[in-house]
Amino acid sequence: MKMVTLKKLLLVFFLPVLVSRGAFALSEPEKMVYIFGFGSLMSTPARTATEPDPKGSVYIPVKVKGYTRDWQLWMPRSQQRSLELEQALGGYVNGLIFAVKKSELPKFDRREGPAYQRKQLPADHIIFYREEDRSKVMGARGDMEVYAYFPDKSSSYYVGRGDDTKKIAMSYLKVVLTGCIEVDQKNNLGGKFTDDCAATMGLADYKIEDDTKAPRYSRFPPTLLKEAKIREQQMDKYISSDWPNYLEAVRKKWGF
């Protein structure tokens, strides 16, 4: 009886401590946050080249007020200007918000590179094309965690306007514009989204260079397809030659 009583006392005193330290905590589902894609992230092939879309995720067309699209970043490696956001009173930018696991954000940080900084957008700056979409992403308190990539203006990548030798690559621009069409058509917006893209693309002050025969943008769909085919050929060769040899060596060593 004394032993039973002692065990009960230990549970009474130590169980709350163990629970508070997570010893018996149940695993919680990983938090989902949203990224606002206003450029190539609107295009499914370009977006999923970074990370596959999570199963059951939502992709919602929105406008974000207080900003405008611009092209003041220069990527020396690919020799092209890159799309970015600038603050603009009375302006807006349209795009797509999509859910990712919070732990996956560093992958998108690496994708965007040192020219960009990820910042959280004010939830009240987001306008939905379809009001019914609001409930899909808003929390119980009417908030949501949405991030966008802004230019790092202290970096050497931020070159401003005025230099016509620094041009927009057509391969990149076509990925952005086809992304606009994709979002519009998949969401049955009747051209409204595409029209907003055209009105806010910010191309007037820049020169465009047609590089589509030798695309400099790495996520240009034909380039992605070519890389996928090379990868498939490498896997075919591995499975047909190397893989059987390695399996036979495993069988001889371990017996299975």
Side-chain angles (χ1 to χ4, degrees), residues 48-95:
T48 55
T50 302
E51 181 68 18
D53 289 337
K55 185 178 179 180
S57 188
V58 293
Y59 311 92
I60 295 175
V62 297
K63 299 177 187 179
V64 179
K65 62 183 181 181
Y67 303 97
T68 187
R69 283 185 176 91
D70 213 325
W71 299 82
Q72 299 190 59
L73 287 172
W74 175 251
M75 302 297 149
R77 183 175 179 179
S78 55
Q79 292 290 291
Q80 62 174 19
R81 285 187 178 268
S82 190
L83 198 57
E84 44 94 4
L85 290 178
E86 297 284 342
Q87 286 189 311
L89 186 64
Y92 75 92
V93 175
N94 66 331

Side-chain angles (χ1 to χ4, degrees), residues 2-249:
K2 289 183 179 179
M3 181 63 70
V4 172
T5 303
L6 179 59
K7 286 182 178 179
K8 287 183 177 179
L9 285 172
L10 288 171
L11 284 172
V12 168
F13 285 105
F14 289 103
L15 184 59
V17 176
L18 291 170
V19 170
S20 68
R21 293 184 178 181
F24 293 96
L26 297 174
S27 60
E28 297 180 358
E30 188 169 353
K31 183 174 181 180
M32 304 296 287
V33 297
Y34 293 89
I35 292 177
F36 174 58
F38 56 91
S40 61
L41 286 172
M42 294 186 291
S43 167
T44 297
R47 181 177 66 252
T48 55
T50 302
E51 181 68 18
D53 289 337
K55 185 178 179 180
S57 188
V58 293
Y59 311 92
I60 295 175
V62 297
K63 299 177 187 179
V64 179
K65 62 183 181 181
Y67 303 97
T68 187
R69 283 185 176 91
D70 213 325
W71 299 82
Q72 299 190 59
L73 287 172
W74 175 251
M75 302 297 149
R77 183 175 179 179
S78 55
Q79 292 290 291
Q80 62 174 19
R81 285 187 178 268
S82 190
L83 198 57
E84 44 94 4
L85 290 178
E86 297 284 342
Q87 286 189 311
L89 186 64
Y92 75 92
V93 175
N94 66 331
L96 184 74
I97 60 172
F98 59 96
V100 298
K101 294 177 181 177
K102 194 164 189 176
S103 63
E104 302 291 352
L105 285 174
K107 292 184 180 180
F108 286 90
D109 294 346
R110 288 192 293 273
R111 168 202 166 100
E112 301 303 326
Y116 291 91
Q117 297 175 322
R118 172 168 47 87
K119 298 180 182 179
Q120 189 169 348
L121 291 171
D124 61 356
H125 283 206
I126 297 172
I127 303 167
F128 293 86
Y129 278 85
R130 301 173 304 206
E131 190 57 31
E132 61 267 26
D133 285 337
R134 183 181 301 273
S135 61
K136 296 178 183 177
V137 297
M138 285 290 191
R141 296 178 298 174
D143 60 354
M144 57 181 171
E145 198 169 335
V146 183
Y147 294 93
Y149 287 90
F150 290 83
D152 181 354
K153 295 186 178 183
S154 66
S155 74
S156 60
Y157 300 97
Y158 193 79
V159 297
R161 302 174 182 153
D163 185 348
D164 287 346
T165 66
K166 292 180 167 58
K167 300 176 182 180
I168 298 169
M170 183 67 81
S171 60
Y172 177 56
L173 180 58
K174 284 193 172 181
V175 169
V176 175
L177 298 181
T178 55
C180 290
I181 302 295
E182 177 185 338
V183 174
D184 195 305
Q185 292 187 358
K186 284 189 173 181
N187 290 278
N188 300 312
L189 295 175
K192 293 179 182 178
F193 190 91
T194 303
D195 288 345
D196 284 335
C197 278
T200 63
M201 198 53 60
L203 298 172
D205 295 331
Y206 299 98
K207 300 289 185 181
I208 300 169
E209 182 178 0
D210 188 356
D211 66 324
T212 50
K213 290 184 178 179
R216 296 198 294 273
Y217 183 56
S218 62
R219 298 182 189 92
F220 192 55
T223 301
L224 292 175
L225 179 60
K226 182 179 178 180
E227 291 173 351
K229 287 181 177 179
I230 292 172
R231 175 65 173 163
E232 183 180 16
Q233 291 169 358
Q234 291 171 339
M235 288 303 298
D236 282 342
K237 182 180 178 182
Y238 177 84
I239 290 172
S240 63
S241 59
D242 296 336
W243 179 240
N245 293 333
Y246 298 152
L247 286 176
E248 179 61 17

